[in-house]
Amino acid sequence: MSDSLTLTIIIVAVVAVVGIGVIAFVTKGRKPKTPYTSERDADDLPAGQTAESTTEAIADSAGATDAAVAVEEPVVPATPQLDVPEPVQGRLARLRARLTKSNNMFSKGLLALLSQDTIDEDVWEEIEENLLMADLGTEPAMELVDALRERVKIEGSKDPARVKAMLREELLKLVDPSLDRSYLPEPHPDRPSIIMVVGVNGVGKTTTIGKMARVLVAEDKDVLLGAADTFRAAAAEQLATWGDRVGVPTVRSDIDGADPASVAFEAVSAGIDQEVDIVMIDTAGRLQNKVGLMDELGKIKRVVEKKATIDEVLLVLDATTGQNGLQQAKVFSEVVNVTGIVLTKLDGTAKGGIVVAIQRQLGVPVKLVGLGEGPDDLAPFSPEDFVDALLEG
């Protein structure tokens, strides 16, 4: 009896366990009827969103991304804009206009004196004084007066047009059109032409070199600059800025107070390696009473000529200093054999006669004249245009 009861209890227990398992399995397989209350998996869609809308969104997003990438292209650095120097003829016209304006009193005074009905000794003395005040110099002034006196005596003409023609002819003789005023050395097959520029402080030497570079570039010359003025602060930077404007490179030292001769030598070497047409060397502004500085200038010339012959030595003078500039010119010519003069600031206050005086003092021609502060205010010197400008007004 007890065995039967035990068996019955076991059967009931087994049935109960099986029933509970079936109920649990069925319940676990059902999907919930309410939205998710926890974070969705990456593949789950938000409520209210279908597979079609998800595909469209992905396509739109991809298009937007592609558009953004297309806009963000790499930026190519812009090519530096170089200055275009003004043609030479424009500079010559400006020279004539400025000289005409600044020398009206000179020309009018001379023509008035020479056109008088009676030209006695007092008048001739006044004419000579007028010429001296124009910085012509004592010897050239006396020569001009003597020549005019003789011609007036022979021709006996008082006609203003004829008197002006005689004065022009005699002034042109003093300026001397026969002098070689070329500032471009003859080209060499195996090396560049070398131009060395000298002058005292304050005459506008570095600026003149920058303007000369523009003139040379306008004439299709390949130019290189050498910043051998290592004594003046920012001189090399100033020169490099001028060169950068027209695409001309500058050889300079990164060491303050570097040896000027060494810098000049490196500039010439670079010019030879790069096969440029012209190397222009800037030098420190040197006072003529500083013997050590003048010796340094001579050293630069000697060191450079170990590499190449210096073809041109241009002395920059301030035209407004008048006769005071003659002593500077004399000392420089003794040290470095000056071959040409650049007269700066010949733009209103300078007296035109200084051209004649300087040429007489040195025996070398004025080759270039500075007309003002503008980058293209430098022009080749033309004797005919110069004399005509002096007499206009």
Side-chain angles (χ1 to χ4, degrees), residues 197 204-213 225 239 280-282:
V197 183
K205 184 165 40 56
T206 302
T207 298
T208 294
I209 294 175
K211 292 179 180 180
M212 279 193 67
L225 305 179
L239 188 66
M280 295 185 63
I281 302 173
D282 188 15

Side-chain angles (χ1 to χ4, degrees), residues 192-251:
S193 297
I194 311 299
I195 300 176
M196 184 175 177
V197 183
V198 301
V200 300
N201 290 310
V203 296
K205 184 165 40 56
T206 302
T207 298
T208 294
I209 294 175
K211 292 179 180 180
M212 279 193 67
R214 297 174 65 87
V215 173
L216 296 172
V217 167
E219 298 185 6
D220 297 325
K221 300 298 181 183
D222 192 5
V223 183
L224 183 143
L225 305 179
D229 182 354
T230 59
F231 297 124
R232 183 170 64 88
E237 185 67 29
Q238 180 186 2
L239 188 66
T241 298
W242 276 103
D244 290 343
R245 292 175 180 175
V246 288
V248 171
T250 301
V251 174

